[in-house]
Amino acid sequence: MESAVLIFTALSSCGVFLFRSQTKYFFSLFLHTLLIVTASSWAFRALSTGGLMQFNLLEIVGLNLSANIDSLSAFFLAIISLTLLIGLLYANGYLKLYRKTLSDVRLSLHHLALLWLHISLILVNTLRDGAAFLAAWQLMTLSAFGLVVFEAQRKEILKTGFKYLLQMQIGFGLITAAFLIAKTNGAAFGFESLDTYFSSHGSLPVFLLFFLGFGIYAGFAPLHTWLPPTHLTAPSHVSGIMSSILTQMGIYGILRVLVSMHMDWLPVGLIIMTVSILTAFVGLRYTFTQQDSKKLLAYSSITHTGIIGIGIGAGVLGLAFNMPALAALGFTGGILHILTHALSKSLLFQSVGSIYRATHTRNFDQLGGLMNSMPKTSLLFSIGLLALCGIPPLTISISETLIYAGLLKGLAVDNALLHGLIWTIMLVLTLLIGWSLYGFTNVFRKVFLDAPRSEASVQAKEVSDDMILPKAIAGLSLLLMGLFPTVMLKMAEQVTSLFVTDLHPLDDVAPLLTYLGIAGVVLAGLTLWFFKIRGKIQKPVSLNYRQTNSFNKSKPAPEFG
């Protein structure tokens, strides 16, 4: 009975109003656990068989709602289960303060929204019928809105929430319009009609509508304006969930459309690549101008959306130029980057939340010296930053290596246009990685290694273990996936096979990934040795913590959880 757990969870979700304080959390965690176990089992079965799993979600109540899980759906279901588990575990410690300051009803609404977000994410990834998918998509949007406006008593937060909701409705309208156009000649309304439509019509107009609609949710520039303020106002555990998986539903939608396409690969590839490069640079341009750590991570998410798009765009260009190696490595690199980015952003947003709990600020100019006072958070934060920079053995280095390998394979084709594109993309990726490494190194130094710049930073203490454990799970996952890359590669191959039939290039590059992991272990050892010889941070002899910072004299923006 595949539908029993989903229906039971949906019906039981309002039970959060019956409990008080932390009991409410444990009840909702029980329901989330049922969903995680169910979705994970679906993902495992679909990925292990490599086929399509179909069943009726409403069979238990005598209605028909067809669920279809292929390797693409299974891959995202696995990410949803992992990142939500990490976020939910972290929420227990992070919500302690809110349990003392917010009403019982407000907390119940928060847990209810989180449960329905989980349910809607599962539905979005399993439904193909247009009406059912759009209903699940709208439910996902509204649930996320409820989480963003958690502290709705603050007008700034409510205003940000409604701006987010408005932009999501624009995207929803574009997706609906694309489905309506594709519904021709009596074809079904939804993804099932796309194969028929694309086989007899030009792909570009409908693809553009889908790309714009899903691109708003993914945060592609210039459609990204909702993302930084939304992350800024949401609680840290919600920001981690949004950045790690919620925005990636836009990428899922784009990939789902690409599965059904048969032509126009070159213009589609150029569109994806151009927008992705623009997105990556826009995100990176604003990342390191931020003083608020959550806003910095939000713009970094935009950058990595661009890198994911670059990988997918490279895969599409491989199809356009009949280059299986470029297609396979490009798609696989972009797909794996979704997973690695999800884990690293979960870790970093939770680390920022821990720092905020300890210091009551997210402003870099008011931090410093946290390596001594918060050593566990410091270590885990450094893992997240190194992962974002693509440093082995952490997993983002694997996805970027695959993209590079695919681009180099593409140079074997004697085509001037393709060569020009490849050299441009490689230059862009190199600049992005180098700029990120330099910027995040400065961030880490400023927050953890420099002398404290405020009294709160001096008095900071490490957060409780219930806020350390989820970050440790995310960090350990990043390390293990980087050290054993072939496991991740095999999982991603199942998704890539939806676009490319020849997967031999992935087997050829597997040894390189293993050597990369070994080299990463050596690099990690040298990094730990550096921190050891760095010694304890010297506290300043005299420091006026109330002195106005000369680099930031403007009135600071209000900070939220």
Side-chain angles (χ1 to χ4, degrees):
M1 303 291 285
E2 304 285 0
S3 60
V5 171
L6 208 61
I7 293 175
F8 172 77
T9 305
L11 294 176
S12 303
S13 60
C14 290
V16 294
F17 289 94
L18 302 177
F19 299 96
R20 287 188 171 276
S21 189
Q22 199 171 15
T23 309
K24 189 190 310 292
Y25 164 80
F26 286 118
F27 175 73
S28 66
L29 181 62
F30 166 71
L31 296 181
H32 280 293
T33 303
L34 292 178
L35 292 172
I36 288 170
V37 171
T38 301
S40 299
S41 68
W42 294 349
F44 176 78
R45 286 155 59 187
L47 287 173
S48 60
T49 60
L52 178 64
M53 194 171 101
Q54 293 180 301
F55 54 90
N56 181 10
L57 270 175
L58 298 181
E59 180 183 10
I60 195 172
V61 293
L63 300 175
N64 184 40
L65 182 62
S66 179
N68 299 269
I69 302 176
D70 58 5
S71 55
L72 179 60
S73 299
F75 179 76
F76 276 91
L77 286 174
I79 299 176
I80 290 167
S81 296
L82 180 58
T83 55
L84 269 171
L85 175 62
I86 293 171
L88 290 165
L89 291 175
Y90 181 79
N92 182 38
Y94 194 77
L95 288 174
K96 284 179 182 177
L97 181 62
Y98 288 110
R99 293 187 188 111
K100 299 177 183 178
T101 58
L102 293 183
S103 68
D104 195 66
V105 172
R106 184 71 61 81
L107 289 168
S108 297
L109 289 172
H110 178 74
H111 287 297
L112 182 67
L114 200 50
L115 276 166
W116 277 101
L117 177 67
H118 196 168
I119 293 170
S120 62
L121 285 169
I122 294 173
L123 292 175
V124 162
N125 282 275
T126 56
L127 300 177
R128 300 287 183 274
D129 175 74
F133 173 83
L134 291 172
W137 190 269
Q138 194 73 304
L139 178 61
M140 178 181 71
T141 301
L142 293 173
S143 300
F145 169 77
L147 294 171
V148 169
V149 298
F150 180 40
E151 298 183 74
Q153 70 274 14
R154 306 189 188 191
K155 292 183 179 179
E156 303 97 325
I157 290 182
L158 204 56
K159 184 178 179 181
T160 298
F162 280 116
K163 285 183 177 178
Y164 155 80
L165 197 59
L166 175 61
Q167 288 184 263
M168 294 306 104
Q169 297 314 304
I170 295 172
F172 180 81
L174 292 169
I175 296 168
T176 303
F179 277 132
L180 289 171
I181 294 172
K183 186 184 181 303
T184 58
N185 302 324
F189 177 69
F191 288 110
E192 303 294 344
S193 67
L194 297 185
D195 276 312
T196 304
Y197 181 84
F198 286 144
S199 63
S200 56
H201 297 79
S203 306
L204 204 55
V206 169
F207 172 79
L208 279 175
L209 284 174
F210 277 123
F211 186 70
L212 289 172
F214 288 123
I216 291 176
Y217 220 88
F220 280 108
L223 310 172
H224 66 285
T225 54
W226 65 272
L227 199 150
T230 301
H231 279 301
L232 196 62
T233 56
S236 290
H237 62 288
V238 174
S239 293
I241 292 170
M242 289 184 68
S243 181
S244 60
I245 188 58
L246 190 62
T247 55
Q248 303 309 323
M249 288 298 96
I251 301 294
Y252 167 80
I254 293 169
L255 287 170
R256 177 59 63 196
V257 173
L258 288 175
V259 168
S260 300
M261 286 183 54
H262 308 286
M263 61 183 76
D264 294 330
W265 291 118
L266 182 58
V268 167
L270 291 174
I271 289 170
I272 295 175
M273 189 62 71
T274 302
V275 174
S276 298
I277 290 173
L278 172 65
T279 300
F281 273 113
V282 167
L284 201 58
R285 161 67 178 81
Y286 291 103
T287 294
F288 301 114
T289 62
Q290 308 303 320
Q291 291 302 315
D292 188 292
S293 51
K294 281 185 75 175
K295 205 167 185 180
L296 178 147
L297 293 179
Y299 276 107
S300 171
S301 294
I302 295 171
T303 300
H304 284 271
T305 294
I307 294 176
I308 292 167
I310 288 172
I312 294 170
V316 174
L317 290 176
L319 296 177
F321 288 97
N322 195 25
M323 272 292 302
L326 176 57
L329 292 166
F331 273 119
T332 306
I335 289 163
L336 277 180
H337 206 89
I338 297 169
L339 171 60
T340 56
H341 176 257
L343 286 169
S344 58
K345 275 300 160 60
S346 292
L347 173 54
L348 286 172
F349 270 111
Q350 290 173 14
S351 297
V352 165
S354 297
I355 293 170
Y356 179 71
R357 277 287 174 265
T359 64
H360 306 291
T361 183
R362 295 192 307 267
N363 192 316
F364 293 137
D365 284 336
Q366 298 174 16
L367 296 173
L370 297 184
M371 179 66 80
N372 281 337
S373 55
M374 303 182 69
K376 296 176 183 177
T377 296
S378 301
L379 175 62
L380 293 167
F381 193 91
S382 67
I383 291 174
L385 286 187
L386 290 172
L388 278 189
C389 297
I391 303 299
L394 300 162
T395 46
I396 282 182
S397 63
I398 296 173
S399 56
E400 290 173 347
T401 299
L402 289 171
I403 296 173
Y404 268 117
L407 294 171
L408 290 172
K409 293 279 188 181
L411 292 174
V413 176
D414 186 15
N415 186 295
L417 174 59
L418 182 59
H419 283 198
L421 289 170
I422 288 174
W423 284 115
T424 301
I425 298 165
M426 290 179 67
L427 176 62
V428 166
L429 275 178
T430 304
L431 287 173
L432 289 173
I433 294 170
W435 194 351
S436 295
L437 182 59
Y438 174 77
F440 280 121
T441 300
N442 284 336
V443 168
F444 186 81
R445 174 189 55 77
K446 194 172 186 179
V447 175
F448 295 100
L449 300 180
D450 282 358
R453 288 179 291 275
S454 70
E455 187 174 1
S457 189
V458 171
Q459 296 178 351
K461 295 180 180 179
E462 187 62 88
V463 292
S464 56
D465 288 343
D466 54 5
M467 295 176 71
I468 294 292
L469 177 61
K471 301 197 293 284
I473 293 173
L476 185 61
S477 298
L478 285 167
L479 287 170
L480 289 177
M481 291 179 183
L483 291 172
F484 303 100
T486 53
V487 177
M488 289 175 49
L489 199 60
K490 290 296 182 184
M491 182 171 65
E493 278 183 5
Q494 299 288 342
V495 186
T496 303
S497 65
L498 296 175
F499 307 95
V500 188
T501 55
D502 184 4
L503 299 178
H504 288 99
L506 296 177
D507 297 329
D508 296 338
V509 82
L512 173 63
L513 299 180
T514 302
Y515 298 143
L516 193 66
I518 296 171
V521 172
V522 176
L523 183 61
L526 291 174
T527 303
L528 291 173
W529 175 77
F530 167 77
F531 284 138
K532 182 178 180 180
I533 65 170
R534 170 75 177 174
K536 290 190 175 183
I537 301 131
Q538 297 297 316
K539 294 183 180 179
V541 176
S542 176
L543 181 62
N544 181 4
Y545 296 115
R546 293 177 175 81
Q547 183 179 359
T548 304
N549 190 297
S550 60
F551 296 101
N552 189 19
K553 293 183 178 179
S554 59
K555 184 179 179 181
E559 293 185 359
F560 313 108

